[in-house]
Amino acid sequence: MPDCNNLSSMRSPLKWAGGKKKLADNIKQLLPSKGKGRLIEPFVGGGSVFLNSDFDEYLLLDMNKDLINLFNILKSDSFNFITEAEHYFQSEYNTAEQYYELRAKFNKSNDPFFRSLIFLYMNRHGYNGLCRYNKSGGYNVPFGRYKKPYFPKMELEFFAKKSQRALFIQGDFDVAFNLAKSGDAIYCDPPYSPINRTSNFTSYAGNTFDDDDQIRLVKCAEAAKNKNIPTLISNHDTEFTREIYSGAKTLSKLKVHRSISSKGHGRVKVFELMVLYEK
């Protein structure tokens, strides 16, 4: 098993849009507790902040049920899971025919262990590392056609070991805020508000995350601040986000590379905000 004290830019075992591995150091510096106590992440995603920080405890939530099931199985049964998962990374499974057959079985299955195996498989074999569901809840990411998808054995082992300090819950972000107590720090990486305002919502685990949800998150952060629980939020730097975050104690601006399409020219530099609510 990897050493959990070695926090030198550990990657998530999952490809994840908007992952924060490259910004983990910036986030750690902005979090007031600097690694003491418990870190709460209401939008854990691929878990890069969790993996690259060193808090005593973690409370990690996400709306994506398959994601949280995977994390809980890694926590409780990592050896069997990793052994079984590696089987699906053999060359015989790296075909469109096998991918779509397994995707269909995944969408029909209610078995958490099997769904977790295929969730990881599809994450690494599917197109562009996307995670997407249709309106009926079916996973619908197409085959990615990669020459040899990477099996993240070391990353899975590291995650499994560190997850012994974590509690994983599937649910809305307000659940996390309701469970927060004095001594906690909260980091929120919500679906980002669109830079182009003609797009008025962001898909989030088969649901939508719109302006009202962004405002609801701010209200949760303000309520936590009044209980002396600091909250750090990241988002795009837009007129809308600057308006809703006007009551924050501090606001930092970062320039980051962001892929906005699958083509090379789609990688551009955009500005992000790191906003801290604290007394």
mmCIF file of all heavy atoms in Angstrom, residues 179-201:
data_model
loop_
_atom_site.group_PDB
_atom_site.id
_atom_site.type_symbol
_atom_site.label_atom_id
_atom_site.label_comp_id
_atom_site.label_asym_id
_atom_site.label_seq_id
_atom_site.Cartn_x
_atom_site.Cartn_y
_atom_site.Cartn_z
ATOM 1 N N LEU A 179 -24.456 18.787 8.619
ATOM 2 C CA LEU A 179 -23.627 17.925 9.466
ATOM 3 C C LEU A 179 -22.369 18.633 9.980
ATOM 4 O O LEU A 179 -21.642 18.082 10.798
ATOM 5 C CB LEU A 179 -23.212 16.674 8.685
ATOM 6 C CG LEU A 179 -24.348 15.705 8.343
ATOM 7 C CD1 LEU A 179 -23.849 14.609 7.398
ATOM 8 C CD2 LEU A 179 -24.928 15.082 9.604
ATOM 9 N N ALA A 180 -22.108 19.837 9.498
ATOM 10 C CA ALA A 180 -20.900 20.565 9.898
ATOM 11 C C ALA A 180 -21.004 21.050 11.331
ATOM 12 O O ALA A 180 -22.078 21.392 11.821
ATOM 13 C CB ALA A 180 -20.663 21.741 8.962
ATOM 14 N N LYS A 181 -19.835 21.078 12.001
ATOM 15 C CA LYS A 181 -19.787 21.550 13.382
ATOM 16 C C LYS A 181 -18.532 22.380 13.589
ATOM 17 O O LYS A 181 -17.632 22.412 12.734
ATOM 18 C CB LYS A 181 -19.817 20.371 14.343
ATOM 19 C CG LYS A 181 -18.657 19.401 14.208
ATOM 20 C CD LYS A 181 -18.816 18.231 15.160
ATOM 21 C CE LYS A 181 -17.595 17.313 15.154
ATOM 22 N NZ LYS A 181 -17.398 16.633 13.861
ATOM 23 N N SER A 182 -18.473 23.040 14.720
ATOM 24 C CA SER A 182 -17.317 23.887 15.036
ATOM 25 C C SER A 182 -16.024 23.072 14.967
ATOM 26 O O SER A 182 -15.974 21.938 15.453
ATOM 27 C CB SER A 182 -17.479 24.481 16.431
ATOM 28 O OG SER A 182 -16.369 25.294 16.761
ATOM 29 N N GLY A 183 -15.014 23.628 14.348
ATOM 30 C CA GLY A 183 -13.747 22.927 14.166
ATOM 31 C C GLY A 183 -13.584 22.361 12.772
ATOM 32 O O GLY A 183 -12.480 21.985 12.371
ATOM 33 N N ASP A 184 -14.693 22.288 12.008
ATOM 34 C CA ASP A 184 -14.635 21.815 10.629
ATOM 35 C C ASP A 184 -14.218 22.940 9.688
ATOM 36 O O ASP A 184 -14.375 24.131 9.998
ATOM 37 C CB ASP A 184 -16.004 21.301 10.173
ATOM 38 C CG ASP A 184 -16.426 20.022 10.871
ATOM 39 O OD1 ASP A 184 -15.552 19.304 11.387
ATOM 40 O OD2 ASP A 184 -17.640 19.745 10.904
ATOM 41 N N ALA A 185 -13.727 22.573 8.527
ATOM 42 C CA ALA A 185 -13.538 23.486 7.403
ATOM 43 C C ALA A 185 -14.238 22.867 6.206
ATOM 44 O O ALA A 185 -14.250 21.642 6.050
ATOM 45 C CB ALA A 185 -12.063 23.700 7.107
ATOM 46 N N ILE A 186 -14.833 23.704 5.357
ATOM 47 C CA ILE A 186 -15.604 23.224 4.215
ATOM 48 C C ILE A 186 -14.979 23.747 2.925
ATOM 49 O O ILE A 186 -14.690 24.937 2.806
ATOM 50 C CB ILE A 186 -17.077 23.677 4.306
ATOM 51 C CG1 ILE A 186 -17.708 23.196 5.615
ATOM 52 C CG2 ILE A 186 -17.872 23.166 3.114
ATOM 53 C CD1 ILE A 186 -19.106 23.742 5.861
ATOM 54 N N TYR A 187 -14.768 22.846 1.969
ATOM 55 C CA TYR A 187 -14.334 23.261 0.636
ATOM 56 C C TYR A 187 -15.381 22.823 -0.374
ATOM 57 O O TYR A 187 -15.716 21.633 -0.456
ATOM 58 C CB TYR A 187 -12.975 22.670 0.246
ATOM 59 C CG TYR A 187 -12.691 22.911 -1.226
ATOM 60 C CD1 TYR A 187 -12.615 24.215 -1.726
ATOM 61 C CD2 TYR A 187 -12.580 21.850 -2.116
ATOM 62 C CE1 TYR A 187 -12.407 24.443 -3.075
ATOM 63 C CE2 TYR A 187 -12.368 22.075 -3.471
ATOM 64 C CZ TYR A 187 -12.286 23.380 -3.939
ATOM 65 O OH TYR A 187 -12.100 23.616 -5.283
ATOM 66 N N CYS A 188 -15.882 23.765 -1.166
ATOM 67 C CA CYS A 188 -16.927 23.492 -2.145
ATOM 68 C C CYS A 188 -16.402 23.707 -3.564
ATOM 69 O O CYS A 188 -15.933 24.799 -3.895
ATOM 70 C CB CYS A 188 -18.128 24.417 -1.934
ATOM 71 S SG CYS A 188 -18.979 24.180 -0.365
ATOM 72 N N ASP A 189 -16.507 22.673 -4.364
ATOM 73 C CA ASP A 189 -16.151 22.737 -5.781
ATOM 74 C C ASP A 189 -17.401 22.386 -6.591
ATOM 75 O O ASP A 189 -17.486 21.315 -7.191
ATOM 76 C CB ASP A 189 -15.015 21.749 -6.069
ATOM 77 C CG ASP A 189 -14.527 21.823 -7.506
ATOM 78 O OD1 ASP A 189 -14.644 22.904 -8.113
ATOM 79 O OD2 ASP A 189 -14.033 20.803 -8.010
ATOM 80 N N PRO A 190 -18.384 23.293 -6.630
ATOM 81 C CA PRO A 190 -19.654 22.982 -7.286
ATOM 82 C C PRO A 190 -19.505 22.964 -8.802
ATOM 83 O O PRO A 190 -18.490 23.427 -9.342
ATOM 84 C CB PRO A 190 -20.545 24.156 -6.851
ATOM 85 C CG PRO A 190 -19.586 25.300 -6.712
ATOM 86 C CD PRO A 190 -18.340 24.681 -6.121
ATOM 87 N N PRO A 191 -20.499 22.432 -9.515
ATOM 88 C CA PRO A 191 -20.518 22.642 -10.964
ATOM 89 C C PRO A 191 -20.423 24.135 -11.243
ATOM 90 O O PRO A 191 -21.173 24.924 -10.661
ATOM 91 C CB PRO A 191 -21.885 22.075 -11.379
ATOM 92 C CG PRO A 191 -22.213 21.088 -10.314
ATOM 93 C CD PRO A 191 -21.665 21.663 -9.045
ATOM 94 N N TYR A 192 -19.497 24.513 -12.104
ATOM 95 C CA TYR A 192 -19.196 25.927 -12.269
ATOM 96 C C TYR A 192 -20.304 26.679 -13.007
ATOM 97 O O TYR A 192 -20.935 26.147 -13.929
ATOM 98 C CB TYR A 192 -17.881 26.104 -13.022
ATOM 99 C CG TYR A 192 -16.658 26.012 -12.130
ATOM 100 C CD1 TYR A 192 -16.730 25.490 -10.845
ATOM 101 C CD2 TYR A 192 -15.414 26.454 -12.582
ATOM 102 C CE1 TYR A 192 -15.618 25.399 -10.043
ATOM 103 C CE2 TYR A 192 -14.286 26.373 -11.794
ATOM 104 C CZ TYR A 192 -14.394 25.842 -10.517
ATOM 105 O OH TYR A 192 -13.283 25.765 -9.720
ATOM 106 N N SER A 193 -20.497 27.919 -12.591
ATOM 107 C CA SER A 193 -21.400 28.809 -13.309
ATOM 108 C C SER A 193 -20.843 29.046 -14.709
ATOM 109 O O SER A 193 -19.642 29.266 -14.871
ATOM 110 C CB SER A 193 -21.510 30.139 -12.547
ATOM 111 O OG SER A 193 -22.425 31.000 -13.173
ATOM 112 N N PRO A 194 -21.674 28.981 -15.752
ATOM 113 C CA PRO A 194 -21.153 29.091 -17.116
ATOM 114 C C PRO A 194 -20.553 30.455 -17.410
ATOM 115 O O PRO A 194 -21.067 31.484 -16.959
ATOM 116 C CB PRO A 194 -22.376 28.824 -17.992
ATOM 117 C CG PRO A 194 -23.547 29.130 -17.129
ATOM 118 C CD PRO A 194 -23.135 28.775 -15.737
ATOM 119 N N ILE A 195 -19.457 30.455 -18.159
ATOM 120 C CA ILE A 195 -18.861 31.710 -18.617
ATOM 121 C C ILE A 195 -19.786 32.375 -19.627
ATOM 122 O O ILE A 195 -19.980 33.583 -19.617
ATOM 123 C CB ILE A 195 -17.465 31.447 -19.225
ATOM 124 C CG1 ILE A 195 -16.515 30.927 -18.141
ATOM 125 C CG2 ILE A 195 -16.903 32.714 -19.855
ATOM 126 C CD1 ILE A 195 -15.156 30.516 -18.673
ATOM 127 N N ASN A 196 -20.372 31.569 -20.480
ATOM 128 C CA ASN A 196 -21.326 32.057 -21.469
ATOM 129 C C ASN A 196 -22.727 31.984 -20.865
ATOM 130 O O ASN A 196 -23.262 30.906 -20.646
ATOM 131 C CB ASN A 196 -21.234 31.199 -22.729
ATOM 132 C CG ASN A 196 -22.192 31.648 -23.814
ATOM 133 O OD1 ASN A 196 -22.981 32.575 -23.615
ATOM 134 N ND2 ASN A 196 -22.137 30.985 -24.954
ATOM 135 N N ARG A 197 -23.340 33.104 -20.597
ATOM 136 C CA ARG A 197 -24.618 33.139 -19.894
ATOM 137 C C ARG A 197 -25.781 32.658 -20.742
ATOM 138 O O ARG A 197 -26.904 32.543 -20.249
ATOM 139 C CB ARG A 197 -24.916 34.552 -19.385
ATOM 140 C CG ARG A 197 -23.929 35.055 -18.349
ATOM 141 C CD ARG A 197 -23.807 34.124 -17.165
ATOM 142 N NE ARG A 197 -25.041 34.013 -16.406
ATOM 143 C CZ ARG A 197 -25.258 33.117 -15.462
ATOM 144 N NH1 ARG A 197 -24.329 32.221 -15.167
ATOM 145 N NH2 ARG A 197 -26.395 33.093 -14.821
ATOM 146 N N THR A 198 -25.562 32.383 -22.047
ATOM 147 C CA THR A 198 -26.632 31.793 -22.839
ATOM 148 C C THR A 198 -26.876 30.352 -22.425
ATOM 149 O O THR A 198 -27.903 29.767 -22.734
ATOM 150 C CB THR A 198 -26.312 31.839 -24.352
ATOM 151 O OG1 THR A 198 -25.109 31.097 -24.589
ATOM 152 C CG2 THR A 198 -26.146 33.278 -24.804
ATOM 153 N N SER A 199 -25.891 29.764 -21.702
ATOM 154 C CA SER A 199 -26.064 28.428 -21.135
ATOM 155 C C SER A 199 -26.412 28.612 -19.673
ATOM 156 O O SER A 199 -25.587 29.047 -18.874
ATOM 157 C CB SER A 199 -24.774 27.620 -21.276
ATOM 158 O OG SER A 199 -24.878 26.381 -20.625
ATOM 159 N N ASN A 200 -27.655 28.305 -19.281
ATOM 160 C CA ASN A 200 -28.122 28.713 -17.956
ATOM 161 C C ASN A 200 -28.121 27.606 -16.918
ATOM 162 O O ASN A 200 -28.629 27.764 -15.838
ATOM 163 C CB ASN A 200 -29.525 29.331 -18.045
ATOM 164 C CG ASN A 200 -30.555 28.347 -18.566
ATOM 165 O OD1 ASN A 200 -30.207 27.206 -18.873
ATOM 166 N ND2 ASN A 200 -31.803 28.775 -18.662
ATOM 167 N N PHE A 201 -27.550 26.436 -17.245
ATOM 168 C CA PHE A 201 -27.425 25.406 -16.213
ATOM 169 C C PHE A 201 -26.260 24.491 -16.534
ATOM 170 O O PHE A 201 -25.755 24.443 -17.646
ATOM 171 C CB PHE A 201 -28.714 24.590 -16.074
ATOM 172 C CG PHE A 201 -28.985 23.675 -17.245
ATOM 173 C CD1 PHE A 201 -28.485 22.386 -17.274
ATOM 174 C CD2 PHE A 201 -29.730 24.133 -18.317
ATOM 175 C CE1 PHE A 201 -28.732 21.546 -18.353
ATOM 176 C CE2 PHE A 201 -29.974 23.290 -19.401
ATOM 177 C CZ PHE A 201 -29.475 22.009 -19.421
#
